[in-house]
Amino acid sequence: GIQVEQSPPDLILQEGANSTLRCNFSDSVNNLQWFHQNPWGQLINLFYIPSGTKQNGRLSATTVATERYSLLYISSSQTTDSGVYFCAVEDNQGGKLIFGQGTELSVKP
Amino acid sequence: DTGVSQDPRHKITKRGQNVTFRCDPISEHNRLYWYRQTLGQGPEFLTYFQNEAQLEKSRLLSDRFSAERPKGSFSTLEIQRTEQGDSAMYLCASSPHGTPPSYEQYFGPGTRLTVT
């Protein structure tokens, strides 16, 4: 099955700094989503981005499907950005999402 | 438009007991998914439905687990004879499905199960 790898596993930033999170996947995919998991466990949708670039406020994402990776950019980070960021891909066999192990982000004031 | 809802939010049970969780998807979504997440890991797929048909089950879904979506709306996930290894967050998601062949999944708040 498809393997999804996220890097780095942990990231500590000072408030106001920028960061880039990476997601590599091992095969072609129908769909790629980025999520932020809050401290209560809720997965918040950030981007649905099987290819191309999207921006939403301080966050943007780029997926290069031909090279099998996606990047999530966080600019001017805030303490509320802390939490775990997951990348998930949908394989070509059906509807399920395959998640990476996540990047745990901690933004210090 | 309300999101995906799950009930209960927390469940503590003793080993050997049966538990049932409910998921109500976003109303116009015809696909419904169950995932399980243990501490420090990403969610893992368990099973999914398109309308009332169960289309795929993970090998993680042992014989003690059963899921239903009888009228193509809400779904239930039952765990029989719970074991301590079943302690996890159980997440439900829904998505529309049609053409093109893939749509964004939206997750509920989860049910956190603790087996003592």
Side-chain angles (χ1 to χ4, degrees):
Chain A
I2 292 181
Q3 305 298 312
V4 181
E5 293 183 359
Q6 291 186 242
S7 60
D10 303 282
L11 188 57
I12 300 174
L13 298 175
Q14 209 63 34
E15 200 168 26
N18 302 330
S19 62
T20 301
L21 282 57
R22 186 177 180 103
C23 173
N24 292 334
F25 44 97
S26 61
D27 204 346
S28 59
V29 297
N30 283 335
N31 170 23
L32 186 145
Q33 292 185 238
W34 283 97
F35 297 92
H36 177 210
Q37 190 163 43
N38 68 20
W40 298 272
Q42 172 85 54
L43 285 166
I44 309 298
N45 290 41
L46 297 178
F47 293 101
Y48 168 70
I49 186 166
S51 63
T53 297
K54 291 186 177 180
Q55 180 153 9
N56 184 5
R58 296 181 296 103
L59 273 61
S60 64
T62 294
T63 297
V64 184
T66 52
E67 296 187 22
R68 299 179 185 166
Y69 73 89
S70 184
L71 302 174
L72 177 69
Y73 305 94
I74 304 174
S75 64
S76 305
S77 57
Q78 300 175 358
T79 56
T80 52
D81 294 331
S82 297
V84 183
Y85 290 79
F86 286 105
C87 163
V89 302
E90 178 187 331
D91 67 13
N92 290 319
Q93 305 300 315
K96 64 180 179 286
L97 288 178
I98 300 162
F99 283 77
Q101 293 290 83
T103 291
E104 183 161 10
L105 175 65
S106 179
V107 181
K108 304 295 186 186
Chain B
D1 181 25
T2 57
V4 179
S5 62
Q6 292 187 245
D7 184 69
R9 296 291 306 276
H10 303 274
K11 179 72 177 177
I12 300 174
T13 191
K14 295 190 176 187
R15 186 165 50 95
Q17 298 295 305
N18 299 343
V19 294
T20 300
F21 310 141
R22 177 180 171 126
C23 172
D24 286 86
I26 294 170
S27 59
E28 65 270 23
H29 287 184
N30 57 3
R31 279 204 171 180
L32 186 149
Y33 311 80
W34 286 98
Y35 295 83
R36 180 173 71 184
Q37 185 178 23
T38 54
L39 201 61
Q41 304 295 315
E44 295 177 292
F45 169 78
L46 293 178
T47 188
Y48 84 93
F49 296 83
Q50 182 163 310
N51 300 312
E52 61 274 11
Q54 189 172 18
L55 296 188
E56 187 176 351
K57 293 194 292 186
S58 163
R59 52 190 166 81
L60 291 176
L61 214 66
S62 75
D63 290 346
R64 297 184 297 105
F65 288 70
S66 63
E68 294 183 343
R69 194 182 183 199
K71 297 183 180 179
S73 56
F74 72 91
S75 175
T76 58
L77 178 68
E78 182 183 15
I79 309 174
Q80 296 182 327
R81 305 181 303 282
T82 51
E83 301 173 356
Q84 287 188 319
D86 297 331
S87 295
M89 175 78 93
Y90 290 83
L91 295 163
C92 177
S94 71
S95 73
H97 183 72
T99 304
S102 181
Y103 277 96
E104 189 169 359
Q105 292 187 29
Y106 295 85
F107 281 78
T111 294
R112 189 173 297 279
L113 173 67
T114 302
V115 182
T116 62

